[in-house]
Amino acid sequence: MSLTTTPDLATQIADAIDGQSIVDMHTHLYPPSFGTPSAPTGADANGLMLYGINELLTYHYLVAELFRVVSPSEVSVADFWAMDKTAQADLIWHKLFLDRSPISEAARGVLTTLQKLGLDPGDRDLAGYRRWFDEQDPDKHIDRVMELSHVESITMTNAVFDDNERQRWLDNPAVGDDPRFTAVLRFDPLLCDWPAAAAKLAEWGYDVKVDIDDKTVTEVRRFLGEWLDRTKSIYAAVSLGPDYRYGEGRHGSAKWADGNRILTQAVLPACAERNLPFAMMIGSARGVNPALRDAGDMGFVADVPSVTELCRDFPDNKFFVTMLSRENQHELAVAARKFGNLMVFGCWWFLNNPSLIEQITRLRVELLGVSFIPQHSDCRVLEQLIYKWDHSRTVIAKVLTDKYADIAATGWRIGEDELARDVKLYLRDNFLNFLKR
Ligand code: FIX
Ligand code: ZN
């Protein structure tokens, strides 16, 4: 059956999107093997698998919103960090859900999540929600959440310079073997703070110098090779500030001389050798308000020409790129028209709001057709998969309905199988095919 003959294109597209399982290419989620700090039994205080209502309520997006509405005389930032997680969650629930309506995207997300899990947000029963989450077995709960969110595979972010995470890989070589999860080696300090990274590498037994020489480059490559293999990473990744610059004589690039040398002589060759893409998430300004910890980061406009120069200079490398400011999105999509080795992905962090997803997805469809990755979740707490994907699916369906209606209006007939094919590319195969390319 051709879609042009059916009255309800919107329903057909929504159904196709709902029926397609998703490979989520960037999250901060982990399987239980990395420890479960919230589990009522067997909790590991420093564990990395976050789930449950306390974690959902203390998500850093909501922490930022809390400090919009509490005055320092009521609760100072220091007081907040001194509280235990339950007290923090109680405070956020009170201030952002009961004292005012939870209509921000992050607050609404908690409600969508509760609803889809079969809990009634209308009950406003925080104690009851806590009891329900406490009864969940973390391992089985992952299956349930993946089913509800239509996610078939979760991509982790494995920060090798995080001592807690690194030690878990060293202690248990099988820690990453859960088939529902894949690993991504993440190493921001290598490019963003070479002296600190070099000190760590030296401590771990690599023969590196702060003044980078050929031996240092060889050793960084050895380090990357060992960790890419140990983690079985499917790509490598960094997040870079808005001031990141690459390119001969480019204003501001001198500050990045060490980072760019490590990038071009160690990271990119290591990736090319293994045919792994390198992901750059560009524009995050860390610690604008450091007291707020993760909630104190923001984003500024970054430099797209640095990306085009990398794509041009390294044609044997593949680049996943996302940028944090809305202002960069048009240039970045145009850049992707010039380079097949550049895959644009996701509406990252402060862009992961319905109004911006809609605008950015429209722009990308118009410039790139079906050849980009519309979304990733960036979840830190397991159940966020439910709301982040539910909300994104709705917006993507809306945009695609308009775009298919536009071509249907010319007399072009789209088969249901063709629609399913396109949706599969967006939600799964553009990512998987780029890994294999
Ligand atoms: O650098 C990143 O991967 C960011 O996505 C995160 O670190 C950030 O804190 C976040 O959670 C954004 O959604
Ligand atoms: Zn992230």
Side-chain angles (χ1 to χ4, degrees), residues 5 83 108 110 141 153-154 157 178 183 193 231 233 236 245 248 263 312 331 362 375-376 400 418 429 433:
T5 62
M83 293 174 177
R108 173 191 164 218
V110 175
H141 190 47
S153 177
I154 299 173
T157 296
D178 191 310
D193 188 357
T231 55
S233 283
R245 295 292 180 276
E248 206 54 50
L263 173 66
R312 190 194 56 213
E331 265 184 23
R362 273 184 204 284
Q375 192 55 303
H376 67 272
L400 291 185
E418 292 172 332
D429 285 352
N433 292 342

Side-chain angles (χ1 to χ4, degrees), residues 26-28 59-61 157 186 188 238-240 281 284 286 294-295 297 324 348-350 376-380 388:
H26 173 70
T27 77
H28 301 264
Y59 187 32
H60 67 76
Y61 292 24
T157 296
R186 173 85 174 244
D188 298 3
V238 295
S239 165
L240 299 163
M281 307 181 69
S284 50
R286 304 288 174 186
D294 285 340
D297 298 343
L324 196 45
W348 181 22
W349 202 342
F350 310 108
H376 67 272
S377 75
D378 230 314
C379 294
R380 283 174 177 261
K388 297 216 186 210

Side-chain angles (χ1 to χ4, degrees), residues 197-392:
K200 283 279 191 186
L201 290 178
E203 185 189 314
W204 299 334
Y206 298 94
D207 185 6
V208 297
K209 293 197 176 65
V210 175
D211 287 329
I212 303 169
D213 56 11
D214 291 348
K215 177 74 181 168
T216 300
V217 169
T218 310
E219 284 291 271
V220 174
R221 264 188 85 161
R222 180 166 74 87
F223 161 73
L224 288 169
E226 286 172 4
W227 277 92
L228 288 167
D229 293 346
R230 175 174 287 123
T231 55
K232 303 189 188 78
S233 283
I234 57 170
Y235 65 89
V238 295
S239 165
L240 299 163
D243 62 335
Y244 175 70
R245 295 292 180 276
Y246 166 83
E248 206 54 50
R250 206 165 177 72
H251 181 68
S253 63
K255 182 189 155 195
W256 289 88
D258 287 342
N260 281 331
R261 179 150 183 212
I262 297 295
L263 173 66
T264 57
Q265 295 184 7
V267 174
L268 294 179
C271 287
E273 191 178 66
R274 290 169 173 73
N275 195 28
L276 298 180
F278 178 59
M280 296 189 290
M281 307 181 69
I282 315 179
S284 50
R286 304 288 174 186
V288 168
N289 182 352
L292 292 184
R293 304 188 186 170
D294 285 340
D297 298 343
M298 71 173 285
F300 296 114
V301 177
D303 186 56
V304 176
S306 294
V307 172
T308 53
E309 292 203 21
L310 277 168
C311 291
R312 190 194 56 213
D313 288 357
F314 294 89
D316 295 335
N317 278 96
K318 303 180 281 187
F319 298 89
F320 283 126
V321 177
T322 197
M323 285 187 164
L324 196 45
S325 87
R326 177 173 66 166
E327 287 67 18
N328 281 134
Q329 301 309 318
H330 178 249
E331 265 184 23
L332 181 62
V334 175
R337 294 173 63 88
K338 312 297 147 194
F339 293 98
N341 61 341
L342 170 57
M343 177 59 83
V344 172
F345 74 98
C347 298
W348 181 22
W349 202 342
F350 310 108
L351 300 176
N352 193 351
N353 296 315
S355 61
L356 293 170
I357 301 169
E358 181 170 343
Q359 196 179 100
I360 293 165
T361 306
R362 273 184 204 284
L363 180 155
R364 289 175 176 168
V365 173
E366 286 159 13
L367 283 164
L368 299 170
V370 190
S371 72
F372 66 97
I373 298 169
Q375 192 55 303
H376 67 272
S377 75
D378 230 314
C379 294
R380 283 174 177 261
V381 182
L382 175 70
E383 300 89 347
Q384 290 170 340
L385 285 172
I386 298 171
Y387 93 79
K388 297 216 186 210
W389 281 111
D390 182 77
H391 295 186
S392 286

